[in-house]
Amino acid sequence: FDLPSKLRACMAQDALVLAVKYYKGSAPILEKYGAENLAAIKKEVDCTLVEVRDRLSTRLQARDASQQETLETIQLMMDLGQSPASIQAEYLAERKQQLHLELQRAARQG
């Protein structure tokens, strides 16, 4: 069961799509046996997933992300169990903050 090493390799290459795919394929096994036989592996996977989620949040907030990249990021976040409502709130909060900063900049220049 080499999921932790696969996830670390994916993170090193910023291959978040592949990391989520590996996790989703192994999640049922981790849920079923993680507490008993795979506790150390599950703990390591959970720690790596925190980093995956953080990177996805960063990608969601990227100003230069294309629509396709944003959609892919949203899908990956949902694949990891994040609700559409929480993704929407996160996305809109960041956009609101960016708009506020742009309005302040425009007011200073005008």
Side-chain angles (χ1 to χ4, degrees):
F1 202 73
D2 60 346
L3 181 61
S5 61
K6 283 183 178 181
L7 291 177
R8 282 192 303 276
C10 289
M11 295 304 293
Q13 297 174 5
D14 202 32
L16 300 177
V17 173
L18 195 54
V20 172
K21 179 182 173 185
Y22 286 149
Y23 172 74
K24 282 185 63 176
S26 300
I29 295 168
L30 286 174
E31 290 302 315
K32 187 172 184 176
Y33 301 107
E36 301 165 9
N37 304 325
L38 304 173
I41 291 172
K42 185 173 182 341
K43 183 177 179 181
E44 190 173 349
V45 167
D46 289 346
C47 288
T48 305
L49 282 179
V50 169
E51 186 177 346
V52 170
R53 287 184 175 101
D54 288 347
R55 286 196 193 179
L56 289 170
S57 288
T58 299
R59 276 179 48 177
L60 183 67
Q61 298 168 9
R63 295 175 81 166
D64 60 346
S66 70
Q67 183 179 10
Q68 181 61 35
E69 290 169 330
T70 301
L71 291 173
E72 178 182 77
T73 300
I74 290 167
Q75 184 61 54
L76 292 172
M77 294 171 91
M78 288 174 31
D79 287 348
L80 291 176
Q82 193 167 345
S83 73
S86 70
I87 296 168
Q88 179 183 21
E90 182 179 339
Y91 180 82
L92 292 176
E94 177 63 25
R95 294 300 183 257
K96 181 179 177 182
Q97 182 180 13
Q98 288 176 5
L99 178 61
H100 182 72
L101 292 173
E102 292 299 323
L103 290 171
Q104 285 181 331
R105 229 179 263 130
R108 283 191 300 251
Q109 293 176 354

